[in-house]
Amino acid sequence: MKRLMLNRVLAALALCAAVALPAQATIVDFEDVEPDFFSAASISSGGFSFASSGAGFSGIDSSAAFAFPPANSTGQFLYALNADVVTMTLGGGAFRLLGFDMSFVAPQVPVSPGLSAGMLHVEATTVGGGVVTDDFDFGLSDANGAWSFVSFATDALASGVTAVSFSACVYDGSGGCSFSDPFVQPQFAIDNINVPEPGTAALALAALGILAARRRPQSL
């Protein structure tokens, strides 16, 4: 009887330890893909698929490919130009989105310092079939007329999503934000997407299995 009780206590402790462990972070930084561009097609990075809507075109490259790249960019990043929309999926499976770095991509013309460009629009389909949206301001252009990557958290998407679409809009000067401005094309860059893997799930299930097994009637 004492041995049975000890096994139950050990199983319970294992379960608590599994739940207490932090989730393992996975960062999609687009360094695993050769520079490329695509429209109405998709590309894979970090185990995720990134599909272009075809409204414009998207790609993966470094700052060397741009006249006015994000000022603080390092390595490769995903970009979407000319009002393109990029949708991120995981082979039909669910994932969590905790944050990302994003920047406006300036057009290839001189831009004034201190200019407010617009917003990144994020629209996600949740595991339950709902839709969650959020908007993130690109901030102001710097002294050289370029924007910089800024980090944002997306706590509202931490519970699980099946698809996330990224698009940009530009301020129209009348209090609105246009997704199809004919003069300044909405376009953006995104990098370091934080999509943590639930590393404790297997351990928790294993602990539950041990606990259930120890509760079966045993011969004395």
Side-chain angles (χ1 to χ4, degrees):
M1 182 65 70
K2 290 182 178 179
R3 182 180 179 83
L4 177 59
M5 182 61 69
L6 177 61
N7 286 335
R8 288 179 177 176
V9 172
L10 290 175
L13 289 174
L15 174 60
C16 292
V19 174
L21 288 174
Q24 299 175 352
T26 296
I27 304 296
V28 180
D29 59 10
F30 304 103
E31 299 299 331
D32 59 341
V33 182
E34 291 294 325
D36 198 2
F37 67 92
F38 53 101
S39 179
S42 63
I43 199 167
S44 295
S45 180
F48 289 82
S49 174
F50 297 86
S52 157
S53 67
F57 67 94
S58 297
I60 293 175
D61 215 320
S62 65
S63 61
F66 296 86
F68 294 94
N72 58 346
S73 61
T74 58
Q76 296 188 156
F77 50 83
L78 173 71
Y79 62 85
L81 306 181
N82 297 349
D84 206 22
V85 180
V86 175
T87 300
M88 176 181 181
T89 55
L90 184 62
F95 60 97
R96 296 185 296 155
L97 177 64
L98 293 190
F100 51 80
D101 298 343
M102 63 93 174
S103 172
F104 184 69
V105 177
Q108 296 185 10
V109 294
V111 176
S112 302
L115 181 66
S116 182
M119 297 184 292
L120 181 75
H121 179 70
V122 179
E123 183 171 312
T125 302
T126 67
V127 173
V131 175
V132 177
T133 63
D134 208 346
D135 297 294
F136 303 87
D137 190 277
F138 287 118
L140 304 177
S141 59
D142 63 17
N144 297 316
W147 278 259
S148 297
F149 275 112
V150 181
S151 298
F152 286 97
T154 53
D155 295 336
L157 305 181
S159 59
V161 296
T162 56
V164 179
S165 293
F166 300 95
S167 58
C169 64
V170 292
Y171 295 132
D172 59 14
S174 301
C177 198
S178 173
F179 289 90
S180 58
D181 191 287
F183 302 106
V184 180
Q185 290 288 343
Q187 45 196 39
F188 64 92
I190 192 166
D191 200 4
N192 299 322
I193 304 175
N194 187 345
V195 280
E197 296 295 335
T200 61
L203 289 175
L205 289 174
L208 283 171
I210 293 172
L211 184 58
R214 296 307 183 189
R215 286 182 174 176
R216 293 174 183 169
Q218 297 188 11
S219 301
L220 297 178

